[in-house]
Amino acid sequence: MNDRRATISAFGYDPTDASMVVIERTVSWRMTRAILAVLVGIGAAPIVFFVPPHVPWVLASVGLGLGVSYRFVRETCTLVSLSGSCPKCGAEVRVSRPVALRVPHALSCTGCSQGLLVVVEGAEP
């Protein structure tokens, strides 16, 4: 786990400083989970084939496996915790569970429902 500095910004307000804890995901971690997701999707296809109408369930199973695998491939970092304050109302900004970190990462304030962007220092979009 790595500690990183970030800024929380909201349209029309001065950005505030924040700190976050992230887990960097290796290529092997991402590819292993992507392959498992595809295999589960393909493995479920013969089982869901017996539910009428047959073909849409098979396509949904395989498509869901491919979609989940694509998300795993793109997840280079996982955001574990975030501590900072909302630029608009000053309420504490938190993440409730670990999520895939996007650059910039979009959140909303629990106090005022303002849309926020978390930008990691030194990260490129």
Side-chain angles (χ1 to χ4, degrees):
M1 288 194 211
N2 298 329
D3 291 331
R4 296 224 178 138
R5 302 292 308 156
T7 57
I8 301 174
S9 60
F11 183 74
Y13 299 92
D14 292 329
T16 59
D17 292 329
S19 63
M20 60 176 46
V21 177
V22 297
I23 299 172
E24 304 235 4
R25 299 300 187 183
T26 62
V27 174
S28 64
W29 183 91
R30 295 184 292 154
M31 291 303 133
T32 300
R33 271 134 187 101
I35 291 169
L36 286 174
V38 169
L39 291 177
V40 166
I42 292 172
I47 297 167
V48 299
F49 176 75
F50 294 106
V51 178
H54 308 290
V55 175
W57 293 112
V58 172
L59 294 176
S61 171
V62 173
L64 187 62
L66 291 172
V68 170
S69 89
Y70 178 71
R71 290 191 66 176
F72 277 127
V73 167
R74 292 191 52 204
E75 185 176 349
T76 57
C77 291
T78 302
L79 177 60
V80 177
S81 69
L82 173 71
S83 69
S85 61
C86 174
K88 181 179 178 184
C89 69
E92 185 176 350
V93 178
R94 294 183 172 193
V95 289
S96 59
R97 59 183 176 83
V99 294
L101 179 66
R102 302 286 178 232
V103 178
H105 193 76
L107 293 173
S108 61
C109 177
T110 56
C112 64
S113 299
Q114 175 72 34
L116 306 173
L117 284 178
V118 179
V119 178
V120 182
E121 291 180 5
E124 297 179 16

